[in-house]
Amino acid sequence: MTGYAFPPSPFPAAPAATGAVRSGQNVAQLRAAQARYQADAVMSASPERLLTMLYDRLVLDLERGEAAQQAADWAEARTQLQHAQAIVAELNASLADTWEGSAGLRGVYAFLTSTLIDANVSRDPQRTRACLDLVAPLRDAWHQAAQQVGSASAPAVATAFPAQAHA
């Protein structure tokens, strides 16, 4: 078999890719898939689930912001606290004035906004902690309320879709 030459391939040669490039492509594909999954989760979520998702992320941002402040990672702290401010702004914008508790909750959101700005500018993790201490019980209360709404609608779902009730 020595001296035998294989005929040229009819297929073009694939560009040589290093493991790092392929690994980077895989990571990018994984991140893109994760972003699509998250977007789908948000788009298909019920209003009460969207609210709890926002509160969950707000708590996470505050925890990360406080940790970054304590580590003197000011760029990361700024990023997290600004994202937290954006969530508070969204929560405030979505609040219905027809609800009797809206005025009180708007006051909480105004306090959070000004305290988050101050915590960011003054680089004060104690102010960030004060926001977290205020938000965490609110998040827990909204989760409980969402569970009650879900439990209350379960009989209606069982009646409307009896096959799904046993799935």
Side-chain angles (χ1 to χ4, degrees):
M1 284 281 197
T2 58
Y4 179 78
F6 289 98
S9 171
F11 304 107
T18 65
V21 171
R22 285 188 180 162
S23 175
Q25 289 171 342
N26 291 341
V27 170
Q29 290 172 340
L30 181 62
R31 286 188 179 144
Q34 184 180 27
R36 281 191 308 274
Y37 174 79
Q38 289 173 342
D40 289 347
V42 169
M43 296 302 292
S44 63
S46 65
E48 59 272 8
R49 179 67 183 127
L50 285 173
L51 181 66
T52 58
M53 289 169 74
L54 282 170
Y55 267 96
D56 288 343
R57 182 55 196 253
L58 179 56
V59 166
L60 181 64
D61 287 347
L62 293 171
E63 290 170 342
R64 288 177 176 173
E66 180 187 27
Q69 286 176 315
Q70 290 172 344
D73 184 350
W74 306 120
E76 180 64 16
R78 181 184 69 247
T79 298
Q80 296 300 326
L81 296 178
Q82 286 178 341
H83 193 258
Q85 290 170 42
I87 291 173
V88 171
E90 181 62 30
L91 289 168
N92 190 40
S94 68
L95 193 57
D97 289 326
T98 56
W99 179 54
E100 65 186 54
S102 66
L105 204 47
R106 281 199 198 283
V108 170
Y109 293 155
F111 171 80
L112 285 171
T113 300
S114 84
T115 305
L116 285 170
I117 291 169
D118 200 30
N120 197 7
V121 171
S122 65
R123 299 178 171 181
D124 186 352
Q126 291 176 342
R127 291 184 183 150
T128 303
R129 170 49 61 175
C131 291
L132 182 56
D133 290 343
L134 180 63
V135 168
L138 283 172
R139 181 213 37 205
D140 295 343
W142 283 116
H143 271 278
Q144 287 177 347
Q147 279 183 325
Q148 290 175 355
V149 167
S151 296
S153 65
V157 171
T159 303
F161 302 100
Q164 299 298 322
H166 303 293

